[in-house]
Amino acid sequence: MKQNSRRFFKKASLFLMAALALIGLSVNYTYAQYQNDNGYDSGNDYEVQSPVRGQRQQKFRHYFVGGNFLASFGDGGGAFGLNPSIGYSLNQYVDVGVGFNAVYNYNKDYYYGGKWRTWNLGIAPFARVYPVDFLFFEASFEENFISSRYIDKEGVKSDRQNASAPSLIGSIGYVQRIYGQSSFFFSVGMDFLNNKNSPYRENYYDGGGTLRSRPTAIIRTGFNINLW
């Protein structure tokens, strides 16, 4: 079991490193493309720009990078995490992109007196719709790689259990947004899939000793910065 845990953490670490590298490469490539499109010359301190290059600049400003801090709270459980992201604004009403998450989750076991401790790494494509300037709706499908451990009431730790779990998250949020420049947001959501391994659900044992789960509120606050 310990060997399986080491393999899991090795795979999860490689996955997270690859995800962060992808974000970095995307940002560097897009920024380099912006410099080329706008006529930057290493020997000059000024910008030479044509109408065509100006149009390319406008296209470039559709790309954004950002991230958010995540907190999820329930009756005896919760989660905390970070979600860097990269995306593209289709227009002033719709954004699409992909996020990467690292989440720590904890749950109390009221039936047996123990507790669960879980680490989650995942990837999450998302779409946001802005019906009005200050409001947005978001749908996100996450695939999480999970490593959890149970600690009984005597403090004895179990071997790590490894799994993967999908989450379908729907959120509503408040945003301060300048289209094509930047935005700051706050949202509340929940996981609509009934998977007990989800980092956004609270596990508990019912009166018959059956392990069940219930959704917890997912609170996020973060920012996006458009590149230009």
Side-chain angles (χ1 to χ4, degrees), residues 15-64:
F15 174 83
L16 183 60
M17 290 173 64
L20 294 176
L22 177 62
I23 293 177
L25 289 173
S26 299
V27 173
N28 288 337
Y29 172 79
T30 311
Y31 183 69
Q33 187 65 45
Y34 161 72
Q35 288 181 312
N36 292 335
D37 290 346
N38 287 277
Y40 280 109
D41 188 332
S42 59
N44 297 317
D45 294 329
Y46 59 87
E47 176 184 353
V48 178
Q49 183 173 343
S50 69
V52 173
R53 287 170 179 166
Q55 293 175 2
R56 290 176 178 174
Q57 179 182 1
Q58 291 300 320
K59 289 183 179 180
F60 179 83
R61 293 180 66 175
H62 285 266
Y63 293 93
F64 62 85

Side-chain angles (χ1 to χ4, degrees), residues 1 7 15 44 79 99 110 118-120 126 130 169 174 180 187-188 194-195 207 223 227:
M1 182 64 72
R7 289 177 180 174
F15 174 83
N44 297 317
Y110 289 111
T118 306
W119 282 99
N120 311 270
F126 65 85
Y130 303 85
I169 299 173
Y174 169 80
S187 69
V188 179
N194 186 21
N195 191 308
F223 65 94
L227 306 173

